[in-house]
């Protein structure tokens, strides 16, 4: 019975971590477990940005399989049954529950004003917004923002470590994976919910978010020439932005991206 | 006499006006990056909002607008990056053509999802070495229904041209560069061109290929 009483079981980690997918994948709003795979190809030599590539590719393929065979069909059914405003409401409800994570991380990063915004959002949306189903706060100019422990570690100066594709969760890195576990303890679910309810709740959250992203994911699939590389680069770009801020990220983008003939840093990368 | 003096007065005014116009002409032609984006968006939105056009007709009208305002040759060079030199001239042309078509095919599909969103320019600033970024957001009905889209422009002979689109902080050039590096290192240039061809065929482009490049260089 000690096991039952222990709210921090491994299963709980996994469920919590899945609940926090929205934190792991900043902005955009794409669920992490719907990252599909790119075309199968042989492993080319030398991937400095992706040393765990064989593992990552396998996980990516698994996530893609899971999405195609379970999550997306479920989301299509959900989308058929649930009116769009209800989906939005449910999405708002789960987003509102991320309050303790965002608030604590804003504070740990010394971001006082954003922390106050997050606190005000939670207060307004939980009350006037009827338990978070309506995002009243955004309408009165209290916009949301991402804050998670992976980002906090980054701002404290910790390097991200190698790229890591997690089962169910999608693109991450070592730093953000540690962040997910820590954020798991900060989540409201840790204090209030039983494991079976949590699993059901997590499934609803995931399927609902996948339903909201049906069109986005479809166009992402058709727009990519290599989905694995596309997802990895998107993850890297958003992580840079989240940790360094848009100005610094833009500055580095300038150097690396736009002047390939004039000694941009990518010349030093390991090319084919 | 009065009539004639009036006429000469009018003539003088007209001459002054013409002189002013001529003087102003070079200034007026130097359209700013912000104006370039505004003009592009206005042109595109007119098409998107036209209830008399089906999606095919809309794409047919938007493609030339995109061709006017994008520099697809520079975009091609940027996305291929260090692999650019590896391509023969013919492959370079082929790539630029296929890549432009790929963008047209994939983004052409989204014309159907347009439901009266507005585009608001939220700012613009100079970048390294004279490039310019214009920030916009696409605003829908709900206040949280916003998409940030930044355009990066480079000044060229024919004015400011778009060389990258950054959607919700994700640069299109960076993302495709990463994909193309993967494709080329896995299967080489010919394989990459083949993948593009297949993707384009699967996406059923709406325009014949020759119409996609109105200004061959």
């Amino acid at each position: 019975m000690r096991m039952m009483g222990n709210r921090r079981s491994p299963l709980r980690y996994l469920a919590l971590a899945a609940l926090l997918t929205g934190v792991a994948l900043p902005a955009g709003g794409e669920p992490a477990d719907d990252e599909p795979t790119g075309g199968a190809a042989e492993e080319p030599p030398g991937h400095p940005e992706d040393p765990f590539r064989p593992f990552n590719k396998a996980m990516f393929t698994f996530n893609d399989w899971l999405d195609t065979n379970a999550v997306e069909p479920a989301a299509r059914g959900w989308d058929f049954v649930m009116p769009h405003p209800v989906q939005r409401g449910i999405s708002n409800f789960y987003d509102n529950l991320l309050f303790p994570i965002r608030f604590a991380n804003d504070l740990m990063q010394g971001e006082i004003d954003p922390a106050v915004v997050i606190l005000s959002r939670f207060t307004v949306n939980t009350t006037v917004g009827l338990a978070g189903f309506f995002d009243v706060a955004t309408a009165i100019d209290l916009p949301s923002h991402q804050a998670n422990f992976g980002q906090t570690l980054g701002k404290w100066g910790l390097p991200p470590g190698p790229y890591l594709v997690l089962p169910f969760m999608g693109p991450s890195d070592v730093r953000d994976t540690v962040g997910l576990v820590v954020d798991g303890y900060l989540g409201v679910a840790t204090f209030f919910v039983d494991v079976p309810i949590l699993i059901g709740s997590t499934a609803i959250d995931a399927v609902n978010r996948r339903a909201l992203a049906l069109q986005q994911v479809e166009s992402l699939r058709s727009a990519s020439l290599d989905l694995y590389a596309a997802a990895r680069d998107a993850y890297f770009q958003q992580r840079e932005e989240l940790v360094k801020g848009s100005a610094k990220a833009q500055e580095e983008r300038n150097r690396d991206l736009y002047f390939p003939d004039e000694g941009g840093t990518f010349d030093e990368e390991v090319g084919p | 006499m009065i009539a004639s003096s009036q006429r000469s007065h009018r003539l003088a005014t007209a001459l002054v006006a013409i002189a002013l116009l001529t003087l102003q002409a070079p200034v007026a032609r130097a359209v700013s990056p912000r104006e370039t984006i505004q003009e592009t968006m206005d042109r595109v939105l007119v098409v998107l909002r036209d209830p008399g056009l089906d999606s095919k007709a809309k794409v047919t009208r938007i493609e030339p607008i995109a061709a006017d305002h994008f520099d697809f040759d520079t975009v091609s060079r940027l996305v291929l990056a260090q692999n650019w030199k590896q391509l023969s001239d013919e492959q370079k042309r082929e790539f630029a053509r296929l890549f432009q078509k790929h963008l047209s095919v994939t983004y052409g599909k989204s014309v159907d999802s347009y439901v009266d969103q507005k585009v608001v320019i939220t700012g613009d600033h100079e970048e390294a070495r004279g490039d310019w970024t214009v920030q916009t957001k696409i605003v829908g009905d709900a206040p949280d229904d916003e998409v940030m889209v930044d355009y990066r422009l480079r000044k060229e002979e024919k004015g400011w041209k778009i060389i990258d689109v950054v959607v919700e902080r994700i640069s299109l050039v960076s993302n495709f560069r990463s994909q193309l590096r993967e494709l080329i290192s896995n299967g080489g240039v010919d394989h990459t061109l083949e993948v593009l061809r297949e993707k384009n065929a699967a996406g059923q482009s709406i325009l014949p290929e020759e119409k996609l490049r109105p200004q061959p260089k």
Side-chain angles (χ1 to χ4, degrees), chain A residues 138-151:
Chain A
T138 299
I140 59 168
D141 221 15
L142 290 168
S144 185
H145 62 264
Q146 299 291 330
N148 60 61
F149 197 65
Q151 177 196 33

Side-chain angles (χ1 to χ4, degrees), chain A residues 77-97:
Chain A
W78 181 267
D79 190 51
F80 186 74
V81 178
M82 286 287 173
H84 195 250
V86 178
Q87 292 181 25
R88 284 299 279 260
I90 292 169
S91 156
N92 288 339
F93 170 77
Y94 282 108
D95 189 77
N96 196 47
L97 291 184

Side-chain angles (χ1 to χ4, degrees), chain A residues 27-28 39 41-45 47 49 53 57 88 92 135 138-139 215 219 221-235 237-238 241 246 250 253-262 266-267 269-272, chain B residues 77-78 81-86 99 102 106-107 109 112-113 125 127-129 131 133 142-145 150 152 154 163-164 166-186 192 195-196 199:
Chain A
E42 303 122 288
E43 308 301 323
H47 282 276
E49 79 285 11
R53 186 185 161 84
K57 276 231 149 184
R88 284 299 279 260
N92 288 339
D135 183 6
T138 299
Q215 205 175 18
S219 60
R221 279 181 194 265
S222 79
S224 335
L225 304 172
D226 185 299
L227 211 41
Y228 178 79
R232 187 181 58 202
D233 175 76
Y235 174 75
Q237 287 199 55
Q238 292 199 325
E241 188 88 17
S246 57
Q250 180 65 48
R253 199 179 272 167
N254 267 329
R255 197 180 61 228
D256 291 350
L257 209 53
Y258 296 117
F259 305 98
D261 299 337
E262 299 162 46
F266 79 79
D267 282 342
E269 282 176 22
V270 182
Chain B
R77 195 170 52 86
L78 291 177
Q82 71 267 54
N83 287 313
W84 178 249
K85 294 187 196 105
Q86 199 184 310
F99 190 64
H102 174 66
T106 45
Y107 295 97
K109 282 180 193 158
D112 288 330
S113 52
H125 56 264
E127 297 285 0
R129 280 175 265 188
D131 282 357
T133 290
D144 58 340
D145 195 9
D150 292 0
R152 190 185 177 95
R154 188 161 286 179
I163 60 163
D164 194 12
V166 184
V167 182
E168 286 291 331
R169 315 287 197 204
I170 300 198
S171 150
L172 182 134
V173 164
S174 168
N175 202 262
F176 275 107
R177 178 180 294 176
S178 177
Q179 297 181 51
L180 287 161
R181 191 191 294 140
E182 187 94 3
L183 273 175
I184 292 176
S185 67
N186 282 340
T192 303
V195 168
L196 267 168
K199 272 269 174 188

Side-chain angles (χ1 to χ4, degrees), chain A:
Chain A
M1 283 311 101
R2 198 166 164 267
M3 277 296 285
M4 289 300 286
N6 183 8
R7 293 187 161 258
R8 273 134 202 201
S9 64
L11 183 63
R12 189 173 188 83
Y13 274 137
L14 195 67
L16 277 172
L19 186 68
L20 296 168
T21 300
V23 190
L25 261 194
E30 267 99 319
D33 55 356
D34 58 37
E35 304 298 348
T37 186
E42 303 122 288
E43 308 301 323
H47 282 276
E49 79 285 11
D50 192 1
F52 300 153
R53 186 185 161 84
F55 171 82
N56 288 340
K57 276 231 149 184
M59 285 305 121
F60 198 82
T61 308
F62 168 73
N63 287 343
D64 185 41
W65 177 87
L66 193 71
D67 183 62
T68 313
N69 294 289
V71 185
E72 196 196 322
R76 293 219 176 265
W78 181 267
D79 190 51
F80 186 74
V81 178
M82 286 287 173
H84 195 250
V86 178
Q87 292 181 25
R88 284 299 279 260
I90 292 169
S91 156
N92 288 339
F93 170 77
Y94 282 108
D95 189 77
N96 196 47
L97 291 184
L98 297 176
F99 155 74
I101 297 166
R102 292 186 180 151
F103 185 68
N105 280 293
D106 275 339
L107 291 181
M108 285 189 277
Q109 294 167 21
E111 301 279 357
I112 304 305
D113 289 351
V116 172
V117 169
I118 285 297
L119 180 61
S120 315
R121 278 183 60 82
F122 182 69
T123 312
V124 170
N125 283 348
T126 306
T127 55
V128 187
L130 305 179
F133 277 89
F134 297 94
D135 183 6
V136 186
T138 299
I140 59 168
D141 221 15
L142 290 168
S144 185
H145 62 264
Q146 299 291 330
N148 60 61
F149 197 65
Q151 177 196 33
T152 302
L153 291 175
K155 288 196 174 180
W156 287 351
L158 244 82
Y163 179 62
L164 209 52
V165 181
L166 302 175
F168 305 103
M169 317 279 304
S172 188
D173 57 35
V174 173
R175 187 176 68 194
D176 278 349
T177 305
V178 172
L180 277 178
V181 176
V182 173
D183 285 338
Y185 281 100
L186 294 169
V188 271
T190 313
F191 305 103
F192 298 114
V193 187
D194 283 330
V195 170
I197 298 174
L198 189 60
I199 292 169
S201 160
T202 304
I204 292 172
D205 184 23
V207 170
N208 184 65
R209 266 185 297 126
R210 184 64 179 84
L212 283 168
L214 280 171
Q215 205 175 18
Q216 279 164 278
V217 174
E218 206 175 293
S219 60
L220 191 73
R221 279 181 194 265
S222 79
S224 335
L225 304 172
D226 185 299
L227 211 41
Y228 178 79
R232 187 181 58 202
D233 175 76
Y235 174 75
F236 284 159
Q237 287 199 55
Q238 292 199 325
R239 182 185 67 190
E240 290 297 290
E241 188 88 17
L242 203 56
V243 171
K244 292 180 178 164
S246 57
K248 186 86 166 82
Q250 180 65 48
E251 191 186 305
E252 288 178 14
R253 199 179 272 167
N254 267 329
R255 197 180 61 228
D256 291 350
L257 209 53
Y258 296 117
F259 305 98
D261 299 337
E262 299 162 46
T265 48
F266 79 79
D267 282 342
E268 292 144 33
E269 282 176 22
V270 182

Side-chain angles (χ1 to χ4, degrees), chain B residues 20-207:
Chain B
L20 277 176
L21 272 178
T22 322
L23 283 174
Q24 293 253 305
V27 182
R29 283 173 66 99
V31 180
S32 74
R34 200 184 173 111
E35 287 159 347
T36 304
I37 293 302
Q38 186 70 60
E39 190 199 315
T40 313
M41 294 305 128
D42 289 347
R43 287 176 70 187
V44 170
L45 285 175
V46 165
V47 177
L48 286 177
R49 283 173 183 156
D50 191 335
L53 298 172
D54 61 10
S55 42
K56 190 175 164 177
K58 284 177 183 174
V59 176
T60 311
R61 281 169 172 75
I62 291 171
E63 277 176 338
I65 302 175
D68 273 355
H69 293 284
F70 276 81
D71 176 0
F72 287 109
D73 290 327
T74 299
V75 173
S76 299
R77 195 170 52 86
L78 291 177
V79 293
L80 281 172
Q82 71 267 54
N83 287 313
W84 178 249
K85 294 187 196 105
Q86 199 184 310
L87 272 68
S88 70
D89 285 352
E90 195 187 331
Q91 285 174 322
K92 284 175 185 169
R93 274 193 299 274
E94 172 84 346
F95 177 83
R97 190 175 60 81
L98 289 171
F99 190 64
Q100 178 178 358
K101 189 167 167 189
H102 174 66
L103 295 180
S104 163
V105 167
T106 45
Y107 295 97
K109 282 180 193 158
S110 59
V111 295
D112 288 330
S113 52
Y114 178 79
V115 275
D116 211 39
Q117 289 94 339
K118 290 167 185 62
V119 178
V120 185
I121 295 183
T122 53
D124 65 303
H125 56 264
E126 192 171 7
E127 297 285 0
R129 280 175 265 188
D131 282 357
W132 213 279
T133 290
V134 179
Q135 296 159 294
T136 74
K137 62 181 180 189
I138 301 170
V139 191
D141 289 336
D144 58 340
D145 195 9
E146 284 183 1
V147 186
M148 283 185 296
V149 185
D150 292 0
Y151 298 89
R152 190 185 177 95
L153 297 97
R154 188 161 286 179
K155 196 170 173 63
E156 288 167 14
E157 281 170 37
K158 289 177 180 167
W160 290 93
K161 300 288 176 189
I162 301 166
I163 60 163
D164 194 12
V165 183
V166 184
V167 182
E168 286 291 331
R169 315 287 197 204
I170 300 198
S171 150
L172 182 134
V173 164
S174 168
N175 202 262
F176 275 107
R177 178 180 294 176
S178 177
Q179 297 181 51
L180 287 161
R181 191 191 294 140
E182 187 94 3
L183 273 175
I184 292 176
S185 67
N186 282 340
V189 174
D190 286 331
H191 165 71
T192 303
L193 293 174
E194 194 50 43
V195 168
L196 267 168
R197 254 180 238 117
E198 280 167 19
K199 272 269 174 188
N200 288 348
Q204 289 155 5
S205 178
I206 287 151
L207 273 193

